[in-house]
Amino acid sequence: MKKITAAALLAISLCTAQAYAGPAPHSEVAKANIYLTDFEKEVARAQGADMGRYHNRREALTRIRELARLYPDDPKVQDLVRRASIANLKSKGDFLEITPEMVAYKKNEEALRERFRKMNQDEWQKKLAESSPITTAFPSPDPLQVNIEDYIGKYVVLENVLYPNNQFIGMSGEYIHVGKPSSGYYFVDIDGRAWLGPYEAVKRYRRFVDASLGESISFTVLGKITGVVAESPEAGETKVAAAAWGWIVQPEYLYAGERVMARYDASHENSGTFYGEEEVEKIKDGWYTVKSVPDNVDPKRLMEIFATAIKEKNFELYCQCIHPDRQRSDTGKSLLRYHWDLHQERFQKEYVHAFFDEPEITVIKGFSGGDDLDDFFMSADQKSAVSKGSGEVEEMAIVMSRAFEESGKQRGAKNRHELRRKGNGRWYVNTYDVRF
């Protein structure tokens, strides 16, 4: 049997009577107010986000609606209706008009993506023509039935090369397996720079050109056959499947997402580049709306610049915003790039713009002497003595952010960002890993 709520019982009882001008029963107004107050608190805790489900919404609104039908002239009921209307609207989440300026970075990235797609597609076709690869990769030649020397040094094109999905460590090295027992195997050699150089170049393409490429990439590999080996292509130390013969392929070119081609280059500082990489910053420089951080920047403005650097793919400016202590070690620099990639993905898939509240600034170390209570209870000499003994002043600013989707709807609740500065120096973002 379906349970009847208290609000439903109230509605049934009240609807038996006609609406009249007298005051509503005090007890019913009080009960409705309790539920409405709890609903208002839920909405306030959401901080502009649409939480989807509110525990007190239906009970509060149902009670108030029935009271309004029967006692429309009661000032207390009218006040409940007013408050309930405001709370219900806020429960749907905050909305913002998204202007063309807020999403200009998306159009710029799209133009950059298409420019590099065409360049890299043309270069890929050129390399295929030059290398004259084996016409049909599968079924692969059976190493036990052909003259192996006839295939050593030949080029082959392997599609759907999945990394790290099909990566494994075998007895003779580290490989990505391509194929299956019924059609034969190729083992792409990823032990050295011939793989790592181009692979890192593809990651740079995603980081600085096209975040939509994503983390899960299916590569097409153009490589040279260098030998044969028997391996069990399984991840993990324990191998269950029987070993299978396969052709070892040394990769020379990686083609990702039909939009970027990366090549191995032993003379390059990164052992690999993607085609046109040297042109990226020259092209992007023209659309940067902010190029440096002012020395006198305030915390709120610094967060705006930080978000702009991410949207416009200005990695140098992104680093300028972040506290130097977070960038000193190799681990710190690696984390910096890791969270840059996450920020890029979020501005692609989750939200397009962020707004920031005014900062709350506190002294966390030293003595600033700016407190009105200190001014009242301490003399100038006392404050001077405390200041000298406390060391350099360090301040912390807390700035709350709200992110908005391309539809204009707020995405989630507010997020807390922490900034630091020492003495009268410049402000820096300390918690650079926090989402907007």
Side-chain angles (χ1 to χ4, degrees):
M1 182 177 179
K2 187 175 182 181
K3 185 178 179 181
I4 301 177
T5 65
L9 288 173
L10 171 66
I12 294 172
S13 62
L14 291 181
C15 285
T16 59
Q18 294 182 348
Y20 60 91
H26 175 75
S27 61
E28 299 302 333
V29 172
K31 290 177 183 177
N33 182 64
I34 290 172
Y35 284 108
L36 176 58
T37 299
D38 288 341
F39 177 42
E40 290 172 326
K41 290 178 180 178
E42 287 185 278
V43 172
R45 287 195 293 269
Q47 297 180 323
D50 178 6
M51 302 302 291
R53 183 171 181 267
Y54 295 88
H55 296 289
N56 296 283
R57 176 182 178 274
R58 176 158 293 278
E59 195 73 25
L61 298 186
T62 301
R63 285 177 175 273
I64 293 170
R65 181 182 63 187
E66 297 308 321
L67 287 171
R69 286 175 178 174
L70 290 172
Y71 307 99
D73 298 325
D74 187 332
K76 292 182 180 179
V77 173
Q78 291 174 351
D79 184 59
L80 288 176
V81 172
R82 178 188 62 79
R83 288 168 52 199
S85 298
I86 294 173
N88 188 52
L89 180 60
K90 287 185 176 181
S91 74
K92 308 305 180 185
D94 282 351
F95 287 83
L96 171 75
E97 181 184 355
I98 300 298
T99 66
E101 291 75 19
M102 294 176 183
V103 292
Y105 75 98
K106 279 184 168 286
K107 292 185 177 180
N108 288 335
E109 181 173 330
E110 182 179 355
L112 188 66
R113 179 190 309 132
E114 291 305 313
R115 178 170 181 168
F116 275 83
R117 183 199 300 271
K118 184 65 169 64
M119 289 170 55
N120 282 260
Q121 282 180 342
D122 291 346
E123 189 65 14
W124 173 251
Q125 293 301 323
K126 179 180 176 182
K127 294 303 176 186
L128 290 180
E130 291 177 353
S131 60
S132 300
I134 295 173
T135 306
T136 304
F138 291 102
S140 67
D142 188 342
L144 300 179
Q145 297 183 14
V146 299
N147 185 352
I148 293 175
E149 295 301 322
D150 291 342
Y151 292 89
I152 299 298
K154 288 184 176 294
Y155 283 89
V156 63
V157 176
L158 301 176
E159 298 180 346
N160 199 31
V161 179
L162 304 178
Y163 178 81
N165 307 51
N166 291 349
Q167 175 264 354
F168 73 98
I169 298 176
M171 295 296 292
S172 60
E174 186 175 7
Y175 303 101
I176 301 172
H177 68 82
V178 184
K180 54 186 178 180
S182 60
S183 58
Y185 280 109
Y186 293 93
F187 299 135
V188 180
D189 185 355
I190 60 172
D191 247 339
R193 298 176 185 176
W195 166 263
L196 293 175
Y199 177 69
E200 291 293 333
V202 171
K203 289 174 65 177
R204 290 196 300 276
Y205 169 85
R206 184 182 64 211
R207 183 170 293 146
F208 302 125
V209 176
D210 182 9
S212 71
L213 184 61
E215 285 283 347
S216 181
I217 304 171
S218 175
F219 292 98
T220 300
V221 172
L222 173 60
K224 185 182 294 183
I225 295 175
T226 60
V228 295
V229 68
E231 290 282 4
S232 178
E234 292 184 340
E237 295 182 1
T238 303
K239 308 292 185 180
V240 178
W245 286 98
W247 299 93
I248 299 174
V249 176
Q250 183 84 2
E252 292 189 8
Y253 296 91
L254 304 185
Y255 193 46
E258 297 186 346
R259 65 185 81 173
V260 57
M261 184 193 76
R263 69 186 182 96
Y264 172 58
D265 183 353
S267 63
H268 193 273
E269 61 177 344
N270 294 315
S271 298
T273 60
F274 62 85
Y275 191 69
E277 183 171 1
E278 68 283 352
E279 301 179 29
V280 172
E281 286 306 314
K282 295 177 183 178
I283 297 170
K284 291 196 299 182
D285 187 72
W287 77 47
Y288 292 155
T289 58
V290 183
K291 295 188 178 182
S292 62
V293 180
D295 290 337
N296 63 345
V297 67
D298 63 79
K300 180 180 178 181
R301 179 56 184 156
L302 180 57
M303 286 305 305
E304 292 172 345
I305 293 174
F306 183 61
T308 299
I310 295 168
K311 292 171 67 173
E312 297 181 350
K313 297 189 180 300
N314 190 339
F315 186 74
E316 182 179 344
L317 182 61
Y318 166 83
C319 293
Q320 288 180 26
C321 294
I322 297 171
H323 201 291
D325 289 349
R326 308 298 300 273
Q327 309 183 51
R328 298 193 192 284
S329 66
D330 290 340
T331 300
K333 293 175 182 177
S334 178
L335 286 171
L336 209 72
R337 293 189 293 270
Y338 171 75
H339 287 288
W340 164 271
D341 291 344
L342 289 180
H343 285 308
Q344 291 294 316
E345 185 175 7
R346 289 165 186 154
F347 269 107
Q348 277 290 327
K349 299 179 179 179
E350 298 182 21
Y351 43 72
V352 299
H353 195 69
F355 272 108
F356 301 94
D357 292 347
E358 293 299 325
E360 295 183 6
I361 301 175
T362 56
V363 177
I364 58 176
K365 185 179 178 181
F367 179 75
S368 66
D371 191 293
D372 58 337
L373 295 176
D374 289 336
D375 292 341
F376 182 83
F377 287 102
M378 298 174 69
S379 67
D381 290 341
Q382 289 173 327
K383 289 191 287 185
S384 178
V386 172
S387 179
K388 290 180 181 179
S390 299
E392 187 178 28
V393 173
E394 184 172 353
E395 296 173 281
M396 176 177 69
I398 301 299
V399 179
M400 303 298 291
S401 70
R402 293 185 299 154
F404 290 85
E405 301 171 0
E406 197 159 4
S407 65
K409 187 175 184 179
Q410 181 174 320
R411 175 85 178 202
K414 291 183 178 181
N415 286 290
R416 178 184 182 274
H417 306 268
E418 177 188 305
L419 299 86
R420 299 283 185 94
R421 78 167 175 178
K422 290 184 177 180
N424 292 318
R426 216 203 78 191
W427 284 101
Y428 290 96
V429 178
N430 196 43
T431 53
Y432 65 86
D433 53 331
V434 177
R435 63 187 299 118
F436 294 99

